[in-house]
Amino acid sequence: MTHLIDGKKWALLSREETKQACAILTQEGRQPGLTVVLVGEDPASQTYVRGKEKAATEAGMQSAIIRLEATITQDELLAVIYRLNQDPHVHGILVQLPLPKHIDDQVIIDAIAIEKDVDGFHATNVGALALGLTGFVPCTPLGIMRMLAYENISLSGKHAVVIGRSNIVGKPMAQLLLKANATVTICHSKTENLGQITRQADILISAVGKAHLVKADMVKEGAVVIDVGMNRLDGKLVGDVDFENVKEVASAITPVPGGVGPMTIAMLLHNTVQAASNVTS
Ligand code: NAD
């Protein structure tokens, strides 16, 4: 029987720890503050941003959303970031992606002060992860690592296959697995014979955004399967993994919803508390 990895349960545990750390910092007069910057009216982004703000408030943080018109220029957006960088009450700055096409995402992200980059997307934090140095780690892969640790799933010497090579999930995921001594393979849209590679995985992580991409015959008996994907199928939220059939093969699997998603938010809160506690007056 497959084991269902309950992301909601682990996220609650992590959020409770964060709440306690937040309360201590607040008592010391250093209440953690998270500001989310939202440009434009994309409905999915609006939902994500509201969820993040609510979670931060529930953790006891000072939380704010800055909503900006989609027509804002890159320079105007940079000015908003510079102002937040200077604000001592703001410990974490998150710019909701994607940004409108006329704005260069990476220019904006790299304008965020490194010590406030709680998404871990700043080039310096990306470099720190690659070098094994301390820095902020992107929330989704960090949440997956935390969940695997909670579940006592060992990674050392295991073959981990990551499908997807994005900067926000696939690449940092691979870095973290490597750091945990897994043997790592990264697959992507140009990979040939995907199933042949995924069938070798002890740990299979899919971060693509295609419903039912990962079928049961692509999974080794007893593998651990982590589904990052979020897709709409017949009006329902589903992952990349054909859950009903893959669960018959996997030893453990994350559901969608209720798997990776809740842990991502939990790690955003964790990183923000970390940012606040890093501040020395
Ligand atoms: P992305 O579009 O930036 O990257 C997708 C990756 O999938 C690319 O690297 C591409 O090469 C690869 N790919 C595309 N088609 C493929 C195929 N047929 N075979 C193998 N690889 C293929 O997406 P992203 O931002 O990394 O997000 C991936 C998915 O994870 C999306 O569904 C997104 O909504 C979801 N997501 C979920 C969370 C969460 O908290 N649950 C967080 C971030 C992203």
Side-chain angles (χ1 to χ4, degrees):
M1 255 264 289
T2 192
H3 168 67
L4 196 67
I5 301 177
D6 186 347
K8 267 197 211 160
K9 176 181 84 177
W10 295 129
L12 274 177
L13 179 71
S14 170
R15 283 171 68 164
E16 200 44 52
E17 285 169 14
T18 303
K19 197 170 176 176
Q20 285 171 20
C22 194
I24 293 169
L25 285 165
T26 303
Q27 267 171 18
E28 292 169 355
R30 305 192 276 159
Q31 183 187 21
L34 173 69
T35 294
V36 181
V37 179
L38 174 63
V39 181
E41 307 265 320
D42 176 59
S45 294
Q46 303 233 22
T47 309
Y48 297 147
V49 161
R50 271 197 302 272
K52 288 167 184 173
E53 192 218 13
K54 185 165 167 270
T57 305
E58 279 169 12
M61 295 180 191
Q62 216 175 69
S63 170
I65 302 177
I66 297 182
R67 290 189 166 80
L68 301 164
E69 299 285 333
T71 51
I72 192 169
T73 67
Q74 183 159 300
D75 284 347
E76 285 165 342
L77 182 54
L78 283 171
V80 173
I81 303 295
Y82 294 145
R83 180 171 57 75
L84 294 172
N85 284 346
Q86 298 300 320
D87 186 337
H89 300 294
V90 176
H91 302 99
I93 303 169
L94 185 155
V95 177
Q96 185 65 40
L97 300 176
L99 291 169
K101 287 200 169 51
H102 64 279
I103 297 176
D104 184 333
D105 291 5
Q106 200 59 44
V107 167
I108 300 300
I109 289 163
D110 287 345
I112 298 173
I114 302 157
E115 65 276 12
K116 298 190 180 191
D117 171 40
V118 287
D119 249 345
F121 296 162
H122 191 292
T124 301
N125 279 320
V126 174
L129 178 61
L131 292 171
L133 303 174
T134 305
F136 287 113
V137 174
C139 302
T140 301
L142 183 62
I144 292 170
M145 293 304 282
R146 180 71 76 93
M147 210 158 45
L148 292 171
Y150 282 145
E151 293 279 348
N152 288 316
I153 292 168
S154 68
L155 297 169
S156 182
K158 299 286 167 60
H159 188 182
V161 173
V162 180
I163 319 177
R165 57 174 163 184
S166 72
N167 290 338
I168 67 171
V169 190
K171 282 185 204 158
M173 187 74 248
Q175 294 282 3
L176 289 169
L177 290 163
L178 200 57
K179 203 171 163 190
N181 296 321
T183 301
V184 183
T185 303
I186 306 175
C187 301
H188 47 77
S189 55
K190 301 283 185 281
T191 296
E192 292 178 4
N193 303 320
L194 182 64
Q196 201 178 316
I197 299 166
T198 58
R199 271 191 294 278
Q200 296 170 32
D202 301 306
I203 319 279
L204 178 61
I205 301 181
S206 184
V208 174
K210 286 204 165 94
H212 291 186
L213 173 79
V214 178
K215 309 224 182 296
D217 65 0
M218 294 166 68
V219 178
K220 181 164 89 175
E221 185 86 36
V224 172
V225 178
I226 307 290
D227 192 353
V228 186
M230 290 200 303
N231 312 291
R232 286 268 154 209
L233 189 68
D234 304 327
K236 262 180 55 187
L237 179 66
V238 298
D240 291 345
V241 175
D242 178 6
F243 181 85
E244 285 308 319
N245 293 310
V246 171
K247 77 174 174 15
E248 302 301 326
V249 186
S251 62
I253 186 167
T254 57
V256 177
V260 173
M263 282 306 287
T264 297
I265 296 217
M267 291 304 100
L268 172 65
L269 304 177
H270 165 86
N271 280 353
T272 305
V273 163
Q274 189 62 54
S277 62
N278 286 347
V279 175
T280 48
S281 46

